[in-house]
Amino acid sequence: MNGGRAALCVEQKELVAEGVVRLRLVDPRGVRLPDWAPGAHIDLNLSNGLTRQYSLCGNRWDAMSYEIAVLLEPNSRGGSEFIHRQLQVGDLVQMGGPRNNFRLVPADSYLFVAGGIGITPLLPMIEHAAKMEAPWTLLYSGRQLSSMAFIDRLQSYGDRVVIRSRDTQGRFDLGAAVSNLRQGAKVYCCGPTSMIDALEQFCRSLPTGALRRERFTAKVQTSPARSTAYEVELARSGKVLTVEPGESVLNAILKAGAPLLASCREGLCGTCETTVLSGVPDHRDSILSDTERERNLSFYPCVSRAASDRLVIDL
């Protein structure tokens, strides 16, 4: 599900919580937008030169519009501040995607865990699970109720949704939530790093692949698997590149003149996903599950490296 580049028009812009705006984006020609599934995101190429990724959180069956919600980050690097302060109804933005690194897969039941603006990718998942009549629960926490978006949209689900503001109620007992899961359940989490790290610890006893998460920021990198140079072979052209320890595979590929799109360059957005034909990658992204890493079918050359002497990739 990879759409191309397109110009979208901001049709609506509204404040939906303290520091959170919802944008409704449409094609200015009034044409249908590419289909998407729960968990998908789009890239917005802003006129200030920045590119940012935002989860789609609207009605997936509405083929004429996309909806995203953007939190004004306290230490914004320019993306959220531009959207909040400068982007206006009627403005055009360049869009890439949609792409989906956070797919909802079939399960006997679901536990959804959202922290703050992390509710956005989970909303379409919840609506899909409800439509399929699958058992599910949402734990949704935020700094305070006034900063938590889409509470009104969730009220119709009754006690399946548990909302907690940290300023008055503290944090969820994630360990207890995990220990009470039904067999065959899957856990989907999007939120701050501290929440995801804690949940990963509690989910260690679950079957591989039971936890799926999407991060706001890239994981802190540990030391690479090797500290020496390695080779990357571009299978289509036959070029063999020597990648030095301090160099990214992406930069080596681009220097060699091979076409490869990239966006975040932090292993978060999935734009530069590349198929691995042979060799063992040193996966350093924040996207792939443990199962996907063991398969070694793809990697993200913006941050990942090689563990073997040579990687052969489909470029």
Side-chain angles (χ1 to χ4, degrees), residues 204-226:
R204 282 187 169 180
S205 60
L206 299 182
T208 301
L211 171 64
R212 302 181 69 88
R213 65 275 196 232
E214 185 164 74
R215 294 176 177 269
F216 296 155
T217 56
K219 294 189 300 184
V220 175
Q221 294 290 359
T222 56
S223 298
R226 58 185 298 150

Side-chain angles (χ1 to χ4, degrees), residues 26-37:
V26 299
D27 190 295
R29 302 164 298 172
V31 302
R32 179 188 180 101
L33 297 175
D35 293 337
W36 58 281

Side-chain angles (χ1 to χ4, degrees), residues 38-40 55 99-104 118 121-122 125 187-190 212-214 287:
S55 297
R99 277 186 294 277
N100 201 335
N101 306 314
F102 193 40
R103 297 180 184 278
L104 184 68
L122 300 184
M125 295 186 184
V187 182
Y188 279 78
C189 178
C190 184
R212 302 181 69 88
R213 65 275 196 232
E214 185 164 74
I287 299 172

Side-chain angles (χ1 to χ4, degrees), residues 17-176:
E18 181 182 311
V20 180
V21 294
R22 180 188 66 86
L23 300 182
R24 177 181 166 92
L25 306 168
V26 299
D27 190 295
R29 302 164 298 172
V31 302
R32 179 188 180 101
L33 297 175
D35 293 337
W36 58 281
H41 72 266
I42 58 173
D43 303 329
L44 285 192
N45 305 111
L46 305 173
S47 60
N48 63 356
L50 297 176
T51 298
R52 295 291 184 265
Q53 291 75 41
Y54 297 104
S55 297
L56 292 171
C57 60
N59 178 6
R60 63 175 294 216
W61 304 113
D62 176 2
M64 306 307 292
S65 73
Y66 290 153
E67 289 188 13
I68 61 172
V70 181
L71 171 69
L72 179 59
E73 297 285 355
N75 300 310
S76 172
R77 294 178 295 167
S80 67
E81 185 174 12
F82 177 87
I83 288 173
H84 274 253
R85 310 289 190 213
Q86 299 185 49
L87 192 65
Q88 302 297 324
V89 171
D91 287 352
L92 295 179
V93 290
Q94 292 293 318
M95 186 265 312
R99 277 186 294 277
N100 201 335
N101 306 314
F102 193 40
R103 297 180 184 278
L104 184 68
V105 298
D108 294 334
S109 63
Y110 298 95
L111 171 64
F112 299 108
V113 182
I117 198 63
I119 189 63
T120 52
L122 300 184
L123 283 173
M125 295 186 184
I126 289 166
E127 289 165 359
H128 181 79
K131 193 180 294 285
M132 299 299 293
E133 299 184 349
W136 62 270
T137 300
L138 167 67
L139 305 181
Y140 179 19
S141 69
R143 186 179 68 256
Q144 53 194 32
L145 283 178
S146 61
S147 67
M148 297 173 69
F150 304 113
I151 289 178
D152 56 341
R153 188 166 155 185
L154 294 165
Q155 286 177 339
S156 63
Y157 295 118
D159 60 6
R160 288 190 177 195
V161 175
V162 184
I163 294 172
R164 177 168 292 184
S165 59
R166 292 195 301 273
D167 62 340
T168 59
Q169 299 170 290
R171 300 178 185 275
F172 282 113
D173 185 344
L174 296 179

Side-chain angles (χ1 to χ4, degrees), residues 175-216:
V178 171
S179 66
N180 290 327
L181 285 175
R182 307 181 187 188
Q183 187 172 5
K186 291 198 181 296
V187 182
Y188 279 78
C189 178
C190 184
T193 297
S194 57
M195 170 183 280
I196 294 178
D197 288 348
L199 198 54
E200 286 180 338
Q201 293 299 316
F202 293 127
C203 289
R204 282 187 169 180
S205 60
L206 299 182
T208 301
L211 171 64
R212 302 181 69 88
R213 65 275 196 232
E214 185 164 74
R215 294 176 177 269
F216 296 155

